[in-house]
């Protein structure tokens, strides 16, 4: 999870129930923080977690393998 979440920027990593409750309350009370964190997480996901190239590579491998048969 720490590879995907940049604590305080793209999300929050908590270690216990109390910290979770405090972070959730903070997000509920701060719409600007919610929007900023959500946008940063979305940007990160679009830039780093795109499966399109992986799917394209797998399709190319399958087409190459099965076209030989």
């Amino acid at each position: 999870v720490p590879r995907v979440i940049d604590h305080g920027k793209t999300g929050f990593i908590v270690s216990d129930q109390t910290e979770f409750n405090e972070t959730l309350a903070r997000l509920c009370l701060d719409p600007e923080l919610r929007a900023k964190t959500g946008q940063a997480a979305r940007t990160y996901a679009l830039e780093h977690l795109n499966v399109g190239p992986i799917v394209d590579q797998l399709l190319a491998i399958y087409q190459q393998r099965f076209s030989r048969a």
Side-chain angles (χ1 to χ4, degrees):
V1 173
R3 289 182 1 200
V4 176
I5 297 174
D6 183 357
H7 182 74
K9 183 178 178 187
T10 60
F12 298 90
I13 299 172
V14 297
S15 58
D16 59 33
Q17 187 66 45
T18 300
E19 196 174 356
F20 173 81
N21 294 344
E22 291 169 354
T23 302
L24 184 59
R26 189 170 148 215
L27 287 166
C28 287
L29 296 172
D30 190 341
E32 186 178 329
L33 178 62
R34 280 195 316 271
K36 186 173 125 181
T37 305
Q39 184 59 49
R42 182 178 191 280
T43 299
Y44 179 88
L46 290 173
E47 291 176 0
H48 296 95
L49 304 176
N50 185 352
V51 298
I54 296 169
V55 171
D56 292 341
Q57 290 173 1
L58 284 173
L59 283 173
I61 291 168
Y62 289 145
Q63 289 171 345
Q64 190 177 41
R65 298 277 178 174
F66 291 115
S67 68
R68 293 181 192 167

